[in-house]
Every structure is written in C-alpha cells, then in structure tokens.
Amino acid sequence: MLKFALQEFYDDRDYKNISQNTIDNYKEILKQFETYCFEHEIVDVNDISKSTVMGYLTECKRKGNNATTTNSKLQRIRAFLNYLVEEEIIKDNPSNKIKKAQEDIKIEVFSDYHIKQMLNYYRRLKQRDKSFYAYRDYTMIVTFLSSGIRRTELTNLKWSDFDVTNARLRIFGKSRKHEVIPITDKLIRELSSYKLYCQQNFGEHNLNEYIFTNRENKKLTTNAVQNIFKRLAKVMNFKDVRVSSHTFRHTFCQKCIQAGMSTFAIQKLMRHSSISVTERYAAMWGNDLKEQNDKFNPINSIDV
C-alpha cells in the first residue's frame, strides 16, 4: 500500500538523520503525489508507472510549476521509489526513465537600489517606534547580505557561534556539519548592537541562545523567515525580483564575483560542495564582469 510505504520511507529518512526541513519537504511533495495517485485509483506502489509520474508532473506544470519546481518534485519521487527498490518492494524505478525538464538559466539578484530600499524601510521603522521586528529583520538582512548563508543556517545561529575576537561565524551547514566563515567589522557591529537591544528588550539573563527569535523570545523557524520576506515583498512591491533569503545568497555571490574575488575563495565562503557550482555562477555573471571592466579599466584614461 502506498500510504504505508510512504510512512516507512519517512521513518527511514529520519533514522538516517536527514534534516527535519528536508523530511518536511519530502512529505509536502509526496503527499501531493499520493493524492494524485489516489485520484487515479492507484493505491499499490507496484502500480506506479512512468506514465503515472509523468502525468503528475504534467499536472503540476499545468498548475503553474516551472521547470525547476517540477525537477525538484521528480527528484523527491525518484528518491522514494529508489528506496522501494532497495527494500525489494518494487523491482524497478519507473521514474529513472524520465529526463529532467530543461531549466531557464536565470538567477535573480538584488540591485543596490533594492537593497537600499529594504534597509531604509527598516531604518525608518526603528526610528519611529523602536520595533523589535524592525531591529531583528534589519539585522537579518545585513547578515544575509554580508555572509551569504542559507535560511536554515541563519535560524540555527547561536550567540556562541558569534566570535567577535576572531571575527568569524560558526555555521551549522547544509551537510549537517559546523563550518567557520570570516565576517566583516560592519557585521560585527550590527550583530553586537542587536545583541545589546535583545538584552534590553528581553532582559540580560533571558537572552535566548539563538540569535534570531520571535517576539516571545523563542527560536525563529525557517517558515517564519519565509513569511517575513513575503510581508516585505508586499511592502516593497518590486516587479523585477523575488524577495527571498536565497536571493540574498545569490546577491552575495554576484557581488563577490563582480568585485574580483577568486572562485576558490567564493566557494569557501558559499560552502559549495563542488567548485563547479561556483564556476557556473562565475560564468553566468561573466558579462557583468566584462561590462565593469569596459567601464572602469585604467587604460580608458590613458592615451595609447
């Protein structure tokens, strides 16, 4: 039965210490796939065919899912069916015969205008009513922009990870291991100022071990961060870019590339598993580098 097989799969992911965020993502996508199967009277995993998976993905596309989203769903379904093969519940994985959809290579980044608009919005709020949300969300944006960390990594940040003396942050990364990255004096000042505000707001002895919390002084969740940016997006009303934590990460990477930072250094800061990932970003923004070089090259002002 499909529903029992799904529960066994979730239990297996949990046993293998897969992060809760990843398990939740599996559940969200596979629940949709399960519903599609039931609607087509498929209750036994042995009855899932290539056409079943293709039909589901086609329906997702009709509902507005882009190639990146449908590929992500295919990846999750494929992992589930691979598990069934490993457990000898089914003989072959029908989704292995499905090729990924061609994705448009377009990565959104914030312009300097976007960044100034967002920061100025929170500055005005801080000056007007000294809102906890304004202080927290302003510091959150500065942290994203200055470090390029992921949303989950930000919510896992603890004050004990903030090393002022050595100017670095300890990150609990995507691969479920701790890594250390350097941080700038500006970020140190912003985090130190925010820490002082939290101590005054919650009480020095009530400071939460996590840097970013909600108004009740409890650890901020990744969904809460997502909702913060959804609200900010409505206020900013940008027509040309998506307001999300990952857009900040892409912006950090782009700015580093445009400033001339080495690919190796960017890989270490972004904590990409392979330098080929970083090289794809570098190739993507190569035209920007050429434009900058054409505009600012010192030979422009020399008569040769």
Side-chain angles (χ1 to χ4, degrees):
M1 295 286 285
L2 177 56
K3 65 177 181 179
F4 298 131
L6 284 168
Q7 187 55 56
E8 289 178 10
F9 173 69
Y10 302 143
D11 292 342
D12 177 77
R13 299 297 100 165
D14 185 48
Y15 174 76
K16 290 179 177 175
N17 204 27
I18 302 298
S19 73
Q20 189 58 49
N21 285 331
T22 302
I23 293 175
D24 289 343
N25 184 252
Y26 272 120
K27 288 182 177 179
E28 180 182 356
I29 290 173
L30 292 176
K31 180 64 179 176
Q32 297 170 10
F33 180 62
E34 180 186 16
T35 300
Y36 175 86
C37 288
F38 286 168
E39 288 173 351
H40 291 78
E41 299 181 352
I42 298 172
V43 295
D44 190 321
V45 291
N46 287 287
D47 294 330
I48 297 174
S49 64
K50 176 184 175 182
S51 62
T52 306
V53 181
M54 282 293 295
Y56 167 70
L57 296 176
T58 301
E59 183 174 287
C60 291
K61 186 178 179 181
R62 265 200 313 270
K63 291 180 178 178
N65 287 180
N66 59 26
T68 302
T69 302
T70 55
N71 285 340
S72 177
K73 291 182 176 182
L74 173 60
Q75 182 183 19
R76 295 308 192 200
I77 293 170
R78 185 171 287 161
F80 166 58
L81 296 175
N82 276 337
Y83 164 77
L84 298 183
V85 173
E86 291 169 6
E87 295 296 311
E88 299 181 349
I89 297 172
I90 62 175
K91 186 177 180 181
D92 298 303
N93 184 343
S95 70
N96 285 339
K97 301 173 184 177
I98 301 174
K99 294 182 179 180
K100 286 186 175 182
Q102 186 70 36
E103 297 182 21
D104 295 329
I105 305 176
K106 181 178 181 291
I107 298 180
E108 295 183 337
V109 295
F110 292 120
S111 67
D112 290 347
Y113 168 79
H114 295 135
I115 295 168
K116 288 175 182 177
Q117 288 292 105
M118 289 184 284
L119 292 178
N120 286 338
Y121 167 70
Y122 284 121
R123 285 194 190 104
R124 290 193 298 271
L125 285 184
K126 286 198 292 184
Q127 292 171 356
R128 188 162 61 235
D129 53 19
K130 295 186 178 181
S131 165
F132 165 76
Y133 300 109
Y135 274 86
R136 182 198 63 191
D137 297 356
Y138 180 91
T139 308
M140 189 186 304
I141 286 178
V142 173
T143 303
F144 275 130
L145 279 173
S146 184
S147 64
I149 61 175
R150 301 174 178 90
R151 182 176 58 181
T152 304
E153 294 168 344
L154 178 124
T155 58
N156 284 330
L157 277 179
K158 298 180 179 180
W159 288 115
S160 58
D161 297 324
F162 177 39
D163 185 348
V164 177
T165 304
N166 297 299
R168 60 190 188 183
L169 274 179
R170 188 174 66 155
I171 308 296
F172 188 55
K174 188 177 180 181
S175 55
R176 298 182 65 79
K177 64 180 181 180
H178 285 99
E179 300 172 274
V180 175
I181 60 170
I183 54 177
T184 63
D185 290 340
K186 281 187 177 180
L187 182 55
I188 290 173
R189 287 197 300 271
E190 290 297 337
L191 285 173
S192 298
S193 176
Y194 175 64
K195 184 177 183 180
L196 180 61
Y197 174 81
C198 289
Q199 288 173 329
Q200 293 172 344
N201 189 65
F202 296 117
E204 185 173 351
H205 299 294
N206 293 323
L207 187 70
N208 195 299
E209 64 173 327
Y210 288 96
I211 294 178
F212 295 101
T213 67
N214 61 20
R215 193 66 184 84
E216 285 70 45
N217 200 24
K218 296 178 181 178
K219 178 189 176 186
L220 203 64
T221 65
T222 54
N223 282 339
V225 175
Q226 189 174 14
N227 289 332
I228 288 168
F229 287 128
K230 282 182 179 179
R231 290 193 294 270
L232 181 61
K234 290 181 180 179
V235 174
M236 293 292 102
N237 196 30
F238 297 140
K239 302 298 184 183
D240 53 346
V241 68
R242 178 170 172 256
V243 179
S244 73
S245 57
H246 221 66
T247 307
F248 285 105
R249 180 168 166 82
H250 290 151
T251 302
F252 172 82
C253 184
Q254 184 207 40
K255 295 292 186 185
C256 288
I257 291 171
Q258 290 182 347
M261 187 182 290
S262 73
T263 306
F264 177 76
I266 296 171
Q267 181 202 5
K268 293 300 180 185
L269 288 174
M270 296 286 287
R271 286 152 290 107
H272 288 148
S273 57
S274 169
I275 199 166
S276 62
V277 177
T278 317
E279 287 171 342
R280 285 204 300 272
Y281 284 118
M284 190 175 304
W285 289 307
N287 289 335
D288 291 328
L289 287 174
K290 184 180 185 305
E291 290 168 9
Q292 294 290 310
N293 184 55
D294 289 343
K295 184 177 181 180
F296 298 112
N297 195 289
I299 202 72
N300 293 346
S301 58
I302 300 173
D303 187 15
V304 294

